Amino acid sequence: MTSTSVQSTALTPYGWDDAWADAFTPHAAKGLLPGRVVRVDRGQCDVVTADGVVRADTAFVTPHDPLRVVCTGDWVAVEPGGHPRYVRAYLPRRTAFVRSTSSKRSEGQILAANVDHAVIAVSLAVELDLGRVERFLALAWESGAQPVVVLTKADLVPDPVTLAHLVQDVETSAPGVPVLTVSALYGEGLDILVSLVGSGTTVLLGQSGAGKSTLANALVGDDVMDVRAARDVDGKGRHTTTTRNLLALPSGGVLIDTPGLRGVGLFDAETGVGQVFAEIEELAADCRFHDCAHETEPGCAVRSAVEDGALPVRRLESYRKLKRENQWIVAKTDARLRAEIKKDWKRRGAEGKAAMEAKRGRRP
């Protein structure tokens, strides 16, 4: 058996395919080994190769751009030996899950690469935060992955009618996205989820206390993740997962578990926001003005839908919020766009002032 076929056989469970093999050809000519990053911490990473898991330094591929650092899910070219061993390059990513950092510089932070499905875990132990679900969905759609919402701890909602209403609320906030109810504790609903994520790579996302580690253990079929009870008062838990870990699933597919995310900032996710609020974008096409902000403009089809009860006002408010946030993040790195936003704000402010004066019977 050739070294290429050995690599293919050993790495296939981690997502290796002919396309990755073709992309790796230039690195193979240099005697480098292919592998997939299963964990990153402090400038080093664990890489699964045909020879097993090796520890490698990422110093040679750590640029100033935080979006180009090696991350969990990357396919990389590793030195065949040496102490320390180094990652020399990573292959172009098919998809990338990125959020905005909490720093004042608002840089992007890449959480996972080459992901096919993004499972958003939402606990039913606490009141649903639909706005946060929409935020996760926007990032998932923007990444290029197919999002799936999993309502965990379904055993805590024994009334089927109540559970059905909760599912419907989430489905309204997640058009085109599968919404599943799961009780990992009792193994309920897992068969459908396993079928969905049985091929490709899945990243598991959610807040601390959402039951991600319990869900990961159920999918892997072993207690690979530490699990701690969430606080009863707010359903929050500690970060039982502190790094992003990539695991091969026994039923097929690959899982990347992530730490609980308290901050989920958008980062250049205009397409993702539009996908989450597809019905609003569709309505907006019938507005009188192509740049309608859906606030005070006449002939606004979106506001008409709200007034008719066809569009929940909460959806419109969430849409506006995420659009503004994303626009602001993008503008921080685009001076021309910043100037346009300020000009637009001034124009809208003047229009609002004129409308108020006209309403009071004054001359604008």
Side-chain angles (χ1 to χ4, degrees):
M1 185 178 290
T2 65
S3 60
T4 302
S5 59
V6 170
Q7 290 169 356
S8 176
T9 302
L11 295 176
T12 295
Y14 292 91
W16 185 257
D17 56 28
D18 291 342
W20 287 122
D22 289 344
F24 194 80
T25 300
H27 305 293
K30 298 177 183 178
L32 298 174
L33 299 177
R36 193 165 194 190
V37 178
V38 298
R39 185 172 180 267
V40 178
D41 64 279
R42 299 179 183 178
Q44 293 191 316
C45 60
D46 293 336
V47 183
V48 61
T49 70
D51 298 330
V53 177
V54 301
R55 187 74 167 165
D57 196 298
T58 64
F60 284 101
V61 284
T62 304
H64 295 298
D65 184 352
L67 294 180
R68 296 175 61 194
V69 299
V70 171
C71 77
T72 303
D74 271 327
W75 285 100
V76 296
V78 188
E79 293 176 340
H83 298 283
R85 184 179 299 207
Y86 288 96
V87 171
R88 289 292 176 174
Y90 65 81
L91 301 186
R93 293 161 177 157
R94 293 178 182 174
T95 62
F97 194 95
V98 180
R99 70 165 176 176
S100 175
T101 66
S102 57
S103 69
K104 292 182 179 179
R105 291 178 293 180
S106 297
E107 297 174 330
Q109 178 191 18
I110 184 163
L111 299 180
N114 302 312
V115 172
D116 301 292
H117 306 97
V119 170
I120 301 162
V122 181
S123 174
L124 289 175
V126 294
E127 185 177 353
L128 285 177
D129 185 342
L130 296 176
R132 179 170 286 270
V133 172
E134 289 161 345
R135 182 178 291 271
F136 270 112
L137 287 170
L139 292 176
W141 281 123
E142 190 67 33
S143 75
Q146 165 66 52
V148 179
V149 177
V150 174
L151 303 179
T152 65
K153 308 181 183 181
D155 52 287
L156 298 180
V157 188
D159 179 35
V161 175
T162 301
L163 184 60
H165 283 309
L166 293 172
V167 171
Q168 185 177 29
D169 286 343
V170 176
E171 288 177 337
T172 301
S173 303
V177 176
V179 178
L180 309 178
T181 57
V182 167
S183 172
L185 188 62
Y186 296 103
E188 297 172 358
L190 286 174
D191 52 341
I192 301 176
L193 180 59
V194 168
S195 177
L196 276 174
V197 305
S199 61
T201 298
T202 298
V203 63
L204 188 52
L205 305 158
Q207 288 182 283
S208 297
K212 295 193 307 338
S213 294
T214 302
L215 192 58
N217 287 338
L219 291 173
V220 176
D222 196 4
D223 292 336
V224 293
M225 296 296 171
D226 183 25
V227 177
R228 298 177 189 172
R231 297 194 302 245
D232 291 336
V233 64
D234 56 10
K236 293 181 180 178
R238 298 190 208 172
H239 292 301
T240 54
T241 303
T242 57
T243 59
R244 286 171 279 280
N245 302 280
L246 185 146
L247 307 160
L249 300 177
S251 57
V254 176
L255 180 70
I256 299 177
D257 191 21
T258 65
L261 300 175
R262 290 195 177 95
V264 194
L266 300 185
F267 186 80
D268 197 5
E270 181 178 0
T271 300
V273 173
Q275 188 77 33
V276 176
F277 299 93
E279 82 277 29
I280 296 180
E281 301 261 300
E282 186 176 342
L283 287 167
D286 293 328
C287 290
R288 182 181 301 178
F289 303 108
H290 76 278
D291 60 345
C292 183
H294 321 307
E295 292 175 351
T296 60
E297 297 88 346
C300 175
V302 174
R303 285 202 343 273
S304 293
V306 171
E307 292 166 2
D308 294 343
L311 176 68
V313 66
R314 189 206 65 78
R315 284 281 284 171
L316 178 56
E317 291 173 349
S318 183
Y319 174 71
R320 287 171 175 162
K321 180 180 179 180
L322 293 184
K323 289 281 282 188
R324 284 195 300 265
E325 178 184 326
N326 188 70
Q327 190 179 43
W328 179 247
I329 289 294
V330 174
K332 284 197 170 190
T333 57
D334 188 329
R336 180 185 59 80
L337 182 58
R338 282 202 303 273
E340 289 180 357
I341 290 174
K342 288 182 179 179
K343 182 179 178 180
D344 188 54
W345 283 352
K346 287 181 180 179
R347 178 179 65 81
R348 293 188 189 284
E351 290 176 350
K353 183 178 180 182
M356 286 299 294
E357 290 179 345
K359 190 173 182 180
R360 292 171 182 168
R362 298 178 185 173
R363 200 175 197 179

